[in-house]
Amino acid sequence: GAGVSQSPRYKVAKRGQDVALRCDPISGHVSLFWYQQALGQGPEFLTYFQNEAQLDKSGLPSDRFFAERPEGSVSTLKIQRTQQEDSAVYLCASSLGPGLSYEQYFGPGTRLTVT
Amino acid sequence: AQTVTQSQPEMSVQEAETVTLSCTYDTSESDYYLFWYKQPPSRQMILVIRQEAYKQQNATENRFSVNFQKAAKSFSLKISDSQLGDAAMYFCAYRSAGGNEKLTFGTGTRLTIIP
């Protein structure tokens, strides 16, 4: 595939359940980002990786949120004990690397609904 | 911390006319990058145009151009000859020129094209 892919596209979880959201970046992209987009809002930064190193996780809202990218390619965002306020679209983006002109390419997002 | 403000939640324009979307930002940094992203109903975020803060010349991409006023911390997007396919949410975003590649987004402007 040519673009960033995310799965699942839609996820419904009952409050208290754990969920795992997957992101497949564009092949060869060094940097990978996770953003959270609440309804009617702009995306908010959660965390970012360069290869397998998590360089910034300052946006993760609580210790229930955990992200990993163990082999520097696919990334998983895990949310433990989901709460209703976790309902949002989770966007993944990737870029060639830290060069200043490198564009971030976004995936279609995963819409998480917590009931 | 940087903030990005989009004061127009919704805008509409007649097809073939010109529309300007506003964005202001706050930062203490002297070097940074500004972006306009488009998010159609399909949800996939697409880069429209970018501006390097050190460049005085305003960026243009076909029908899209920006008015970058560094002293006023203003970064507006002008869309000329509006087309039905331009209908989308438009987000202004900021990125530091330092090592951290994360984007800070505004809350967005929903653009409607009137046939």
Side-chain angles (χ1 to χ4, degrees), chain A residues 9 31 33 35 37 42-43 45 48 50 56 95 97-98 100-101 103-104 106 108-109, chain B residues 33 37 39 42-45 47 50 91 95 97-103 105-107:
Chain A
R9 291 292 308 276
S31 299
F33 308 82
Y35 296 88
Q37 187 174 21
F45 170 79
Y48 113 89
Q50 271 182 30
D56 186 348
S95 75
L100 300 178
S101 63
E103 176 182 346
Q104 288 188 24
F106 283 79
Chain B
Y33 295 78
Y37 277 87
Q39 189 177 44
S42 67
R43 213 163 60 215
Q44 197 125 8
M45 196 84 76
L47 179 65
R50 69 171 152 248
F91 292 97
R95 189 203 132 169
N100 196 320
E101 301 174 69
K102 71 179 181 184
L103 295 173
F105 287 88
T107 51

Side-chain angles (χ1 to χ4, degrees), chain A:
Chain A
V4 178
S5 61
Q6 293 185 245
S7 60
R9 291 292 308 276
Y10 302 89
K11 177 69 179 177
V12 178
K14 292 188 176 176
R15 189 160 54 97
Q17 281 185 334
D18 297 350
V19 298
L21 312 181
R22 177 186 170 107
C23 173
D24 283 84
I26 294 172
S27 178
H29 277 197
V30 168
S31 299
L32 185 145
F33 308 82
W34 284 99
Y35 296 88
Q36 180 190 59
Q37 187 174 21
L39 189 63
Q41 299 296 314
E44 292 198 359
F45 170 79
L46 293 176
T47 185
Y48 113 89
F49 294 84
Q50 271 182 30
N51 296 305
E52 67 278 6
Q54 189 174 19
L55 297 189
D56 186 348
K57 55 182 181 179
S58 63
L60 296 176
S62 77
D63 58 8
R64 296 186 295 104
F65 287 71
F66 172 77
E68 60 182 4
R69 193 185 185 198
E71 297 178 356
S73 177
V74 171
S75 176
T76 304
L77 177 67
K78 298 179 179 178
I79 309 173
Q80 297 178 323
R81 304 182 303 282
T82 52
Q83 305 292 316
Q84 283 196 315
E85 61 263 29
D86 300 335
S87 296
V89 174
Y90 290 85
L91 298 173
C92 177
S94 69
S95 75
L96 280 167
L100 300 178
S101 63
Y102 288 142
E103 176 182 346
Q104 288 188 24
Y105 295 84
F106 283 79
T110 294
R111 181 181 297 280
L112 173 65
T113 303
V114 181
T115 61

